[in-house]
Amino acid sequence: MAFAPKPGCPMCGIVATAAVHPPGQSPRLPNCPDAPAEPEIVWRDENFTAYREKVHPVSSNGHIIIAFNLHVPSIYTLSSSDLPLLVNVRNLGRRLLSPSSPRLSVFSSDDTSTPSAPPQHTESQFRIGFIAPPFKDNKIPITDHLHAHAYLAPADLLGWWRGVAYGPLAWYAIDDLIAEIRESVSNNRVKSGYDNRINAPIDAVPEAGARTGAANGDEYTASSLAIPDVEDGLATPSSSNTSFTSSPSGHIPHLHV
């Protein structure tokens, strides 16, 4: 299996134990003393496991780590067919940090009391992205299992040394990564860096830019890392990825609307 779990990888340990751990409890992280001993799992699905960073958060307003369930070594392993995965990471990070939404977790609490209305966050407060290798967060020193950081600015708990990893030298904002991949494979010139890009029309189509091909209809789309959700209607239980494949004749199949 490609990207199979790596023995001794702390992130693989979190992913594996979160898959079978009883609700309301947290898996332990035995191989990384600087990482949280008991991560609070806040989300798990076929592709991602997210936990709340409690020991070494960079922001007192919230810090979530979203790990790929597969042992993907870095962002440079991703291709344009993984654009929907990146869009899901961005949306998941925003939802888990949003105070206006209930916790989206398969490990939900039994507490049914109504919380007080929390303050709303502005668009500019959301920080979601990756620390590009060879840089790393020295408090969470995992460099070979792809994971995204999602936190709310300001990073008041960061410190100057960790600030290098979350600064312009090492930080790869997920919006920039999505835009640059789309720009490299399509005619949709979504320039990175412009204001209010979150409302760009192309962002309404998560799969935009995920398919590549020639003018004659031949498609060269690589297999995605994503594990399909059968309920989406795009795959069957035996499918191995969510990428669209061309017909035997090499032409893109018709889409029924």
Side-chain angles (χ1 to χ4, degrees):
M1 174 184 174
F3 309 114
K6 178 181 177 181
C9 172
M11 283 294 180
C12 288
I14 291 178
V15 170
T17 51
V20 297
H21 223 271
Q25 299 183 27
S26 297
R28 294 184 176 274
L29 186 62
N31 298 319
C32 190
D34 289 328
E38 295 184 354
E40 178 189 349
I41 303 299
V42 294
W43 178 268
R44 192 185 191 284
D45 59 22
E46 295 86 352
N47 297 302
F48 307 111
T49 296
Y51 68 90
R52 193 180 310 280
E53 176 56 50
K54 298 187 296 183
V55 176
H56 300 295
V58 301
S59 169
S60 59
N61 292 320
H63 183 180
I64 303 292
I65 293 179
I66 304 171
F68 281 62
N69 288 345
L70 297 177
H71 186 81
V72 180
S74 76
I75 57 174
Y76 304 113
T77 309
L78 304 176
S79 67
S80 60
S81 60
D82 297 310
L83 279 168
L85 273 181
L86 292 174
V87 173
N88 286 343
V89 170
R90 181 187 63 191
N91 294 343
L92 180 59
R94 292 174 60 84
R95 291 185 309 194
L96 292 176
L97 290 172
S98 175
S100 59
S101 301
R103 175 181 294 180
L104 301 177
S105 173
V106 295
F107 297 98
S108 58
S109 171
D110 294 332
D111 183 9
T112 58
S113 61
T114 302
S116 58
Q120 298 298 308
H121 302 305
T122 62
E123 293 287 339
S124 62
Q125 285 186 276
F126 290 98
R127 298 283 191 275
I128 304 171
F130 302 92
I131 299 174
F135 298 96
K136 63 182 179 181
D137 181 342
N138 65 315
K139 295 295 186 180
I140 311 171
I142 301 170
T143 58
D144 64 344
H145 188 133
L146 187 59
H147 59 282
H149 294 263
Y151 67 94
L152 290 167
D156 54 335
L157 304 177
L158 190 56
W160 71 271
W161 182 246
R162 293 180 74 194
V164 174
Y166 294 86
L169 188 62
W171 182 254
Y172 210 145
I174 197 164
D175 281 324
D176 287 339
L177 182 58
I178 291 171
E180 289 169 15
I181 293 176
R182 282 176 174 164
E183 190 173 306
S184 69
V185 298
S186 71
N187 291 325
N188 297 291
R189 296 308 184 194
V190 188
K191 299 294 184 183
S192 60
Y194 74 78
D195 292 337
N196 205 29
R197 186 177 58 240
I198 192 65
N199 293 322
I202 197 171
D203 279 332
V205 185
E207 296 83 7
R211 299 175 67 178
T212 57
N216 65 357
D218 290 339
E219 187 165 359
Y220 310 119
T221 303
S223 296
S224 171
L225 296 175
I227 297 175
D229 186 345
V230 178
E231 294 182 359
D232 288 341
L234 297 177
T236 63
S238 61
S239 297
S240 59
N241 59 65
T242 56
S243 63
F244 294 94
T245 58
S246 59
S247 64
S249 62
H251 297 289
I252 299 175
H254 295 289
L255 299 179
H256 300 283
V257 181

